[in-house]
Amino acid sequence: MDNKIKIGVYPGSFDPLTNGHLDIIKRASKLFDKLIVGVLHNDSKKAIFSMEERVALIKKCTSDIPNVEVEFFKGLLVDFVRERNATAIVKGLRAVSDYEYELQMAMLNKHIDKELETIFLMADIQNSFLSSSAVKELAYHGGDISGLVPEVIKEDIVVKLTKPLH
Ligand code: ADP
């Protein structure tokens, strides 16, 4: 019997967190003793929300889930997963279009570390067409993002997106 605590890592850009992401976090938190939400710091992918803002928004929405931690990471996901002694990567799958890319990433990570598993959770049907980009686009043009992002961070997102960007 393996008595080690089970740690999972849910990685992503979360620019910003949506209801789709939060649903995966809640469901995955029940599968592990500890779930680490890993916010990717990617220099080549321009994010609208800063690293600190993205982490803060996720923390605001997950403060009531005791076994969820939020951290940012740079570099290879497998390295971050190993450093945290995690045994699995969690990914959300929306449409078939997510599948091909995620399959490639899962195979690549498996190639790097044979012990590492990737667990896919199917997106809830009502979130299956939801993405951070869609939320940003909608908010930027003054559309209503209610029901697409957690209520507690809705205003933060609207304020950020409607402020002139420079
Ligand atoms: P996005 O595609 O919205 O920019 P991220 O890169 O932050 O999202 O994605 C992080 C993880 O969350 C990925 O595994 C992605 O498939 C998953 N995900 C994104 N949007 C949803 C959603 N609406 N429902 C379930 N999972 C999602």
Side-chain angles (χ1 to χ4, degrees):
M1 186 66 180
D2 186 354
N3 288 324
K4 267 201 335 215
I5 68 158
K6 295 273 180 255
I7 302 172
V9 169
Y10 175 40
S13 316
F14 306 105
D15 183 40
L17 180 84
T18 68
N19 276 343
H21 296 133
L22 186 57
D23 177 54
I24 299 292
I25 293 173
K26 285 181 177 163
R27 288 159 58 197
S29 70
K30 295 179 190 150
L31 303 175
F32 296 95
D33 299 308
K34 180 159 97 182
L35 180 74
I36 301 171
V37 180
V39 184
L40 177 64
H41 182 78
N42 190 344
D43 291 328
S44 62
K45 205 172 152 189
K46 192 84 191 87
I48 296 285
F49 291 82
S50 72
M51 201 59 248
E52 293 73 22
E53 286 170 332
R54 284 181 278 154
V55 168
L57 290 177
I58 304 172
K59 282 189 173 166
K60 209 165 164 181
C61 300
T62 56
S63 57
D64 58 337
I65 320 174
N67 65 334
V68 169
E69 288 177 11
V70 190
E71 290 184 47
F72 75 87
F73 72 98
K74 283 181 176 188
L76 278 184
L77 173 61
V78 269
D79 290 337
F80 177 66
V81 170
R82 278 187 192 137
E83 280 162 22
R84 295 293 176 273
N85 290 316
T87 46
I89 295 169
V90 175
K91 287 300 195 92
L93 275 187
R94 285 163 292 189
V96 182
S97 49
D98 276 346
Y99 179 79
E100 212 167 320
Y101 173 75
E102 295 296 353
L103 176 71
Q104 189 186 358
M105 292 311 294
M107 294 302 150
L108 194 63
N109 289 334
K110 191 88 185 162
H111 171 79
I112 301 171
D113 186 343
K114 296 256 169 304
E115 295 297 312
L116 186 58
E117 297 296 344
T118 303
I119 293 177
F120 293 100
L121 296 181
M122 295 301 167
D124 188 276
I125 189 88
Q126 68 187 26
N127 298 324
S128 60
F129 293 96
L130 183 54
S131 66
S132 296
S133 337
V135 165
K136 283 182 281 194
E137 191 73 17
L138 200 57
Y140 181 72
H141 293 288
D144 185 7
I145 58 169
S146 304
L148 305 182
V149 299
E151 206 47 41
V152 282
I153 59 168
K154 193 176 96 178
E155 211 42 45
D156 298 303
I157 296 171
V158 170
V159 167
K160 178 87 181 176
L161 268 301
T162 49
K163 245 195 342 222
L165 302 170
H166 47 86

